[in-house]
């Protein structure tokens, strides 16, 4: 990701416009996806915001036992909250209202401390 970000910058893209995506899913094993979420702070050290697209992914189904992607809303929200906790600024989600509400409460509690 660092090399790709440098290539894009070399083409004249402002570094503040670059967002890195470690690629949750895409043929990765369960533990690979979990480790990518936990590694968000390391990705942020590249100097760019981090994007996580974990919503309804297969790894959520493996953890929850839910085979039907459309019924993985609760697990998807859990993944979004974990990604936010580790520093992801950008999230791709299917269930926008539910995820936004969960993040609002999460951030409200976090900021109150």
């Amino acid at each position: 990701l660092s090399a790709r970000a440098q290539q894009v910058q070399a083409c004249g893209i402002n570094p503040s416009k670059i967002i890195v995506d470690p690629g949750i899913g895409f043929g990765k094993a369960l533990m690979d996806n979990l480790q990518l979420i936990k590694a968000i702070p390391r990705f942020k050290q590249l100097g760019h915001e981090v994007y996580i697209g974990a919503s309804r992914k297969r790894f959520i189904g493996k953890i929850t036992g839910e085979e039907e992607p459309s019924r993985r809303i609760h697990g998807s929200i859990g993944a979004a909250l974990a990604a936010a906790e580790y520093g992801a600024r950008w999230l791709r989600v299917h269930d926008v209202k539910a995820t936004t509400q969960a993040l609002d409460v999460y951030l409200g509690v976090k900021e109150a401390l």
Side-chain angles (χ1 to χ4, degrees), residues 81 99-111:
L81 293 175
T99 305
T100 299
Q101 193 175 77
L103 283 166
D104 286 346
V105 172
Y106 163 79
L107 293 172
V109 171
K110 189 173 181 176
E111 291 170 6

Side-chain angles (χ1 to χ4, degrees), residues 1-111:
L1 288 174
S2 179
R4 294 297 279 163
Q6 289 174 3
Q7 287 176 333
V8 173
Q9 288 178 64
C11 293
I13 302 297
N14 185 321
S16 69
K17 302 289 184 189
I18 299 171
I19 301 170
V20 296
D21 177 0
I24 300 292
F26 302 103
K28 294 176 181 70
L30 170 63
M31 289 307 293
D32 296 332
N33 290 302
L34 299 178
Q35 289 171 345
L36 286 173
I37 291 172
K38 286 185 76 170
I40 290 171
R42 289 196 350 227
F43 294 121
K44 288 186 66 163
Q45 289 176 350
L46 299 175
H48 307 289
E49 298 293 343
V50 177
Y51 171 96
I52 296 292
S55 184
R56 300 186 184 181
K57 293 279 173 97
R58 184 174 290 129
F59 84 94
I60 293 169
K62 287 187 184 240
I63 292 170
T64 64
E66 181 55 68
E67 293 186 22
E68 174 55 43
S70 67
R71 292 192 300 234
R72 295 180 187 156
I73 181 172
H74 302 95
S76 294
I77 290 171
L81 293 175
E85 174 64 26
Y86 284 105
R89 176 109 189 260
W90 299 90
L91 302 170
R92 183 198 48 80
V93 301
H94 290 89
D95 305 288
V96 176
K97 185 174 182 177
T99 305
T100 299
Q101 193 175 77
L103 283 166
D104 286 346
V105 172
Y106 163 79
L107 293 172
V109 171
K110 189 173 181 176
E111 291 170 6

